[in-house]
Amino acid sequence: MTILDLPFRARAMRGPGSEVAVAVATSGLLPLARPRGANPAQADEDTPIVVVWGDGGGAALSLAEGQVATTLLGAEAVEGLAAAETPRGALPRSRRAVSGPLSAHLADAVPALSGGPEQAASLVIRERQPVAMGGDPKPVPIVTTVLTAAPEAAFALRRPRIARFAGGPAIVAVTVAPDGWAALALFGKAEAKADPEKAGPKSDAKAGPTAWTLLARGAAQAPGPGGQPLKPAAIADFSRDGRPQVAAVSAPDGAGLLQLWALEDGALRLAREAPGYTNVSPGEGEADLAALVELTKDGPPELALPVADRSALAILSLKDDIRERRRTPLPGLAAFGLASLGQGPATRLLVGLADGRIAVVTP
C-alpha cells in the first residue's frame, strides 16, 4: 500500500466507466492537461481512468507500466462535467445511472417516511431512440417513463444501477416503506399482452409494446442505527453461472451485513450474507465505496469494500460463499471513493481517505 502524490486534498472520486470518467476522457481535457511523472496518463475513450478532484485541483489516474500515472486537471473543469450526474429535475445530491441509450435518476423529493434520510417519489427512466438515416440533422427522440416505488412507499437516496437480467435491461433501486424498512427492487420491461376478446374475428391478437414495470422485489431490511437503508454495492455474475447477482450492504452505517441477492422464480432471494462490512461514508451516501476486482483471468469477479469501521480494505470471493481473501489496513478511514484499475497481477485499488489522500493498494 502506498500514498499517491497529489498536490491537492481530494474529496470526490469516480471510477472507470462512470459518467464523469467517460466525460473527462472524451472532453479533450487530457491532451491539454499538465502531466506529472515519467509516465503521464495518455487516456482516451478506450483507456480506463479514475477521476479525483477536490480543493485546489483534480486529476485523471490511469495505469502505465504497472504504476498509477497522474494527469492533473482543473477542479472547476471536472466539477463542471460532474454536474451532469444530477440532471435537471433530479433529486439534489443524487446521481443518475447511464448505460448506452438508457439512463435512470431519482426525482420529486419527499420527506423521509420514517424520519431518516431524504427520499424520492419517482424513478425517471429515459431511453434514446434510434434515428433514421438521412441527410438532415434530426433531434434524437427520447422516451421518458416515470415509475413509483409502491403505494405508501418511496425510493431511498441510492443511485439506481443498470444491468441485464434474463437477457434484457433492468434497473435496481432501493424502496423504503413507511416503517423505514428498505428493499431491493428490480425494474425491467414486460411485454404487454393482447386481449383476445378485443381482437376482431379476422385479426390476430398481437402483444403490444414493452413497458417498464416492477419485476421483482427482495425481502425488507431494517435500517441501520443512523437510519441509513441498505445500499447496493455491485451487480455481477459472481458465481459464473450466467446469472447476475446483486451485492448489497444492509444497515451499512451499523454493523454492516454484506448480502448477495439472486433473481429466482420472479423474486429477489437472499443467497448468503456475512457481517462486518460497509459501503457508506458518513455524510456522503452517494460515494462509491465498493468496486469489482478481477484478480484472475478466467475466474469470477470479486468484491472490494471496507470493513465495518472503514479502517481496512477487504477483498471477498462471492462464488460459493462469502469468503474474505485479503484484508489490507489503511493509513486512514476509507471515505469518499473506491475504484479499481487493471486486471490480474496489475490490479490497483484506489481508496479515497478521510484526510483527502488517495491510497493505492496492490492486492
Side-chain angles (χ1 to χ4, degrees):
M1 195 280 303
T2 59
I3 297 295
L4 200 62
D5 180 20
L6 291 176
F8 60 90
R9 289 170 54 92
R11 54 179 170 78
M13 175 187 292
R14 299 293 186 266
S18 65
E19 189 170 2
V20 173
V22 173
V24 168
T26 58
S27 65
L29 285 175
L30 294 180
L32 302 176
R34 177 167 63 90
R36 286 172 56 89
N39 296 300
Q42 300 294 330
D44 55 30
E45 187 175 1
D46 298 324
T47 302
I49 63 172
V50 173
V51 179
V52 297
W53 70 96
D55 302 328
L61 311 176
S62 64
L63 283 182
E65 299 180 2
Q67 302 296 322
V68 177
T70 304
T71 300
L72 295 181
L73 307 169
E76 296 81 6
V78 178
E79 289 176 347
L81 295 173
E85 289 183 314
T86 307
R88 180 178 300 178
L91 204 67
R93 298 181 296 110
S94 68
R95 292 168 52 194
R96 70 177 171 182
V98 179
S99 178
L102 184 63
S103 71
H105 66 269
L106 301 175
D108 304 324
V110 296
L113 299 175
S114 59
E118 187 179 30
Q119 296 165 1
S122 306
L123 174 66
V124 181
I125 303 172
R126 293 166 60 87
E127 297 175 273
R128 296 197 310 269
Q129 303 299 301
V131 179
M133 299 295 291
D136 298 330
K138 301 179 180 64
V140 178
I142 296 177
V143 174
T144 301
T145 303
V146 180
L147 300 176
T148 57
E152 299 184 355
F155 290 100
L157 185 56
R158 298 296 190 220
R159 177 169 60 91
R161 306 291 182 114
I162 299 176
R164 293 188 68 83
F165 282 80
I171 297 172
V172 175
V174 178
T175 61
V176 183
D179 58 6
W181 285 50
L184 294 174
L186 179 67
F187 297 90
K189 286 192 170 184
E191 187 172 333
K193 297 181 180 179
D195 188 347
E197 295 182 359
K198 295 182 180 180
K202 296 183 179 181
S203 64
D204 295 330
K206 296 183 179 180
T210 56
W212 286 93
T213 186
L214 177 67
L215 298 180
R217 193 188 301 274
Q221 305 291 303
Q228 292 276 10
L230 82 161
K231 182 179 180 183
I235 302 175
D237 183 1
F238 292 107
S239 299
R240 275 289 193 265
D241 61 0
R243 298 180 299 172
Q245 299 99 34
V246 182
V249 179
S250 180
D253 55 349
L257 188 63
L258 177 63
Q259 302 178 327
L260 192 66
W261 297 82
L263 180 62
E264 297 177 359
D265 300 325
L268 287 172
R269 302 188 185 280
L270 181 61
R272 41 193 172 271
E273 59 186 5
Y277 305 98
T278 187
N279 59 345
V280 163
S281 174
E284 179 54 79
E286 284 295 88
D288 291 322
L289 279 185
L292 293 174
V293 183
E294 297 184 8
L295 296 180
T296 58
K297 181 178 180 180
D298 300 322
E302 298 180 344
L303 182 66
L305 78 172
V307 298
D309 63 1
R310 298 181 289 118
S311 65
L313 182 66
I315 298 179
L316 303 107
S317 169
L318 308 181
K319 183 178 180 180
D320 301 313
D321 198 357
I322 298 179
R323 180 168 58 91
E324 187 171 313
R325 289 167 53 87
R326 296 167 180 81
R327 178 177 294 207
T328 303
L330 298 171
L333 298 183
F336 59 83
L338 170 60
S340 176
L341 282 174
Q343 296 177 326
T347 299
R348 300 293 183 270
L349 293 169
L350 307 177
V351 187
L353 304 178
D355 59 7
R357 295 180 296 169
I358 304 294
V360 181
V361 177
T362 304

